[in-house]
Amino acid sequence: MGSPRDTGRTKKVAAKSGNPVSRFFASIGLFIRQILDELRKVVRPTRSELWNYTLVVIVFVTFMMAMVSGLDFGFSKLVGLVFGT
């Protein structure tokens, strides 16, 4: 009896020797199987972790908005002083 690796090789060889349409659909099937395998590995955050992450993002975005607004206001006043508007 062959190992599972042999079965994979024969499937690959058979897929390479098939017609282009069947190879296309086999590739799509393989792609979807790989996606589902990767999604099974995903660790989803708990409700409290998600709440904490959301608060951190909101605080950070608010801080960055305030900083950029302050710089914009400061530079506009500086330009006004330099060019005398």
Side-chain angles (χ1 to χ4, degrees):
M1 288 196 170
S3 67
R5 293 180 122 197
D6 293 339
T7 307
R9 281 191 206 141
T10 54
K11 285 181 183 178
K12 288 179 184 177
V13 170
K16 287 183 181 180
S17 63
N19 64 10
V21 175
S22 65
R23 282 191 315 210
F24 176 73
F25 286 113
S27 298
I28 291 175
L30 176 64
F31 180 68
I32 291 173
R33 281 194 303 273
Q34 289 174 345
I35 289 173
L36 294 175
D37 287 341
E38 290 299 320
L39 283 175
R40 285 186 193 101
K41 297 177 188 177
V42 172
V43 177
R44 290 169 181 81
T46 63
R47 182 178 295 267
S48 64
E49 289 173 337
L50 189 60
W51 181 249
N52 288 335
Y53 297 156
T54 303
L55 287 177
V56 167
V57 168
I58 290 171
V59 168
F60 177 76
V61 168
T62 304
F63 171 75
M64 292 303 292
M65 284 174 37
M67 189 176 74
V68 169
S69 297
L71 287 171
D72 182 48
F73 180 76
F75 285 130
S76 66
K77 290 295 183 182
L78 182 65
V79 168
L81 288 174
V82 169
F83 293 108
T85 52

